[in-house]
Amino acid sequence: MPEVVFPLDNTKKFTEQQIVGHNRWHPDVPAQVQVKPGDAFRVECREWFDGAIHNDDSAEDVLNAPLPSVHVLSGPLEVQGAQPGDLLMVDILDVGPVPQEDSGPLAGQGWGYTGIFAKQNGGGFLTDQFPDAYKVIWDFRGGVATSRHIPGVSFTGIVHPGLMGTAPSAELLAKWNAREQELIDTDPERVPPLALPPLPDSAVLGNLSGDEFDRVAREAARTAPPRENGGNQDIKNFTKGTRVFYPVFVDGAKLSMGDLHFSQGDGEITFCGAIEMGGFIDLGVDLIKGGMETYGVSENAIFMPGNTPPQYSEWLAFSGTSVTLEGKQHYLDAQLSYQRACLHAIDYLTKFGYSPEQAYMILGAAPIEGRLSGVVDIPNSCSTVYIPTAIFDFDVRPGKTGPHQIEPGQGVPKASF
């Protein structure tokens, strides 16, 4: 096992650890760990809500999920010799749930969860159709996820970090804050909001304190969206064996990571849509000096996916176009067409006895594939959702005898404001 450079004690809260991480992006969050090019090391990560979500049959914790506190990130890690303009090469050597802990109160200790946030508290991809809060617990055994809340489904985990990135420069941070505030100002009362401005409440900034903490907390960017530094990209193929190249914007690069997922479908459509967990990630790092200019990577990481995804070979695919449920035509709207493809898949799965919420959770957590299948044939964008048929314990394909009927069991826990 590589040296653990960022350890976590699962009996303590994130802010009580030997090394305290952070939950905001800012160039002045200090790096408390140093690594060198060529090093291999282990980083331990908490699940993104730091234990606020429980292994039970209630969705009240998801309803009241403390969104201002996320994501709790391990880091920053200073990579010696990294300078602005370099590319930081990161190899994901291994990633998994909390090692040697098959049971316990924290996600990653033999279990994880998928949630649908209420519309008033973040919402999701289909928030107008699913405005309430829901939660599904998944158990891990032998690398396979099953759930007491969704019978008849099991699948191999496609384990990956949802979030990894380098620190922004002061100039890049100011650009983020300005453009996102400009978007918010177009509809400041929107629910859910169009973007999340800096918020000192619940900020965790490593070992900063006093006036410096207050200044950084006022300026620092939230970690919810992906940005030029990488960040919360939620790419399901970011698995063991991946090599990623991050732009470096500050001395030392200041690499951070977290939001580990046991599995996820393309799009993480329920927002809390992966199977969230804590665990570990083993990394190797190196530098390409001046690589940003050499390779034209001035923003947004490029990566080579790992070669260890589940080997599913048969799929049932659903398509959607950029027309609303009310029949209004939109012009090449890929997000709308993907929503429609997801809704068609949900409608289909309900014919087998699943509730709409169970079907929605399947699309968020299982390793479905989402594709932009047509983006030039005006006025309709076409998106497709591919569901691996082998994740079901029954034949999910259309047939002359009609859909097999499952017993939906206790269903998905729900909570409403």
Side-chain angles (χ1 to χ4, degrees):
M1 185 183 82
E3 177 189 2
V4 180
V5 299
F6 201 102
L8 291 175
D9 181 344
N10 285 325
T11 66
K12 298 180 180 179
K13 298 290 289 182
F14 186 69
T15 53
E16 300 169 353
Q17 299 293 328
Q18 172 187 344
I19 304 174
V20 177
H22 64 110
N23 63 359
R24 301 288 192 271
W25 291 119
H26 196 286
D28 295 337
V29 176
Q32 301 179 70
V33 175
Q34 283 194 341
V35 296
K36 301 187 300 294
D39 281 355
F41 50 87
R42 174 166 291 189
V43 174
E44 296 177 342
C45 300
R46 296 278 279 191
E47 61 90 12
W48 71 313
F49 275 125
D50 191 31
I53 309 301
H54 309 296
N55 186 353
D56 58 24
D57 299 324
S58 167
E60 293 293 329
D61 48 6
V62 172
L63 180 70
N64 299 295
L67 283 176
S69 70
V70 298
H71 298 77
V72 290
L73 301 181
S74 297
L77 279 59
E78 177 185 339
V79 181
Q80 294 179 11
Q83 297 174 303
D86 295 343
L87 282 179
L88 176 63
M89 184 168 70
V90 180
D91 288 317
I92 300 178
L93 306 176
D94 201 359
V95 57
V98 179
Q100 287 82 49
E101 296 187 25
D102 295 331
S103 63
L106 297 176
Q109 295 177 316
W111 64 279
Y113 65 89
T114 301
I116 298 173
F117 290 141
K119 187 171 183 177
Q120 296 97 313
N121 192 29
F125 191 57
L126 303 176
T127 194
D128 289 334
Q129 289 77 36
F130 298 87
D132 299 309
Y134 298 88
K135 182 177 74 179
V136 164
I137 299 298
W138 301 90
D139 294 308
F140 311 151
R141 186 173 183 181
V144 174
T146 58
S147 174
R148 62 183 181 269
H149 297 132
I150 306 178
V153 174
S154 61
F155 47 84
T156 302
I158 183 165
V159 184
H160 61 280
L163 195 159
M164 191 186 304
T166 52
S169 65
E171 295 77 14
L172 184 56
L173 174 62
K175 181 188 296 185
W176 294 350
N177 287 339
R179 74 190 185 199
E180 291 174 23
Q181 187 61 53
E182 183 179 3
L183 176 62
I184 293 168
D185 290 343
T186 64
D187 189 1
E189 304 303 321
R190 185 180 186 271
V191 177
L194 289 169
L196 301 173
L199 180 68
D201 176 39
S202 302
V204 180
L205 304 171
N207 61 2
L208 285 182
S209 61
D211 292 343
E212 186 71 350
F213 179 96
D214 294 339
R215 177 187 67 82
V216 171
R218 290 192 302 268
E219 299 171 353
R222 309 279 286 279
T223 59
R227 299 187 181 92
E228 289 90 332
N229 68 326
N232 191 31
Q233 294 181 292
D234 290 315
I235 300 169
K236 83 174 195 301
N237 300 99
F238 220 54
T239 56
K240 178 179 177 179
T242 292
R243 171 170 287 180
V244 56
F245 303 85
Y246 286 110
V248 174
F249 301 106
V250 300
D251 288 339
K254 292 188 173 180
L255 178 70
S256 300
M257 68 289 302
D259 189 30
L260 301 187
H261 297 164
F262 186 82
S263 179
Q264 181 200 304
D266 278 336
E268 199 189 9
I269 61 174
T270 67
F271 186 10
C272 185
I275 301 180
E276 307 285 351
M277 68 173 194
F280 74 94
I281 183 166
D282 293 344
L283 301 173
V285 295
D286 212 337
L287 290 172
I288 300 176
K289 301 299 293 182
M292 289 174 66
E293 181 177 354
T294 300
Y295 289 101
V297 185
S298 60
E299 59 184 33
N300 301 110
I302 59 175
F303 72 101
M304 302 158 57
N307 56 6
T308 57
Q311 299 300 308
Y312 293 114
S313 59
E314 295 184 0
W315 309 80
L316 189 62
F318 301 84
S319 61
T321 57
S322 45
V323 179
T324 69
L325 290 170
E326 295 74 31
K328 182 179 179 180
Q329 181 73 61
H330 285 234
Y331 178 77
L332 296 181
D333 187 333
Q335 174 159 323
L336 175 58
S337 63
Y338 194 56
Q339 286 180 330
R340 293 303 303 273
C342 291
L343 288 169
H344 291 155
I346 290 169
D347 287 343
Y348 181 86
L349 291 175
T350 61
K351 299 300 183 181
F352 291 79
Y354 289 116
S355 70
E357 294 75 25
Q358 288 175 316
Y360 189 14
M361 291 289 197
I362 291 170
L363 298 186
I368 69 165
E369 293 192 359
R371 302 179 187 178
L372 292 180
S373 299
V375 294
V376 295
D377 298 315
I378 61 172
N380 271 327
S381 165
C382 178
S383 295
T384 44
V385 170
Y386 287 62
I387 303 178
T389 56
I391 71 172
F392 297 97
D393 296 344
F394 54 89
D395 190 350
V396 75
R397 298 170 299 177
K400 292 183 178 180
T401 59
H404 172 85
Q405 293 300 299
I406 60 103
E407 172 52 55
Q410 65 179 287
V412 175
K414 173 184 176 181
S416 304
F417 283 111

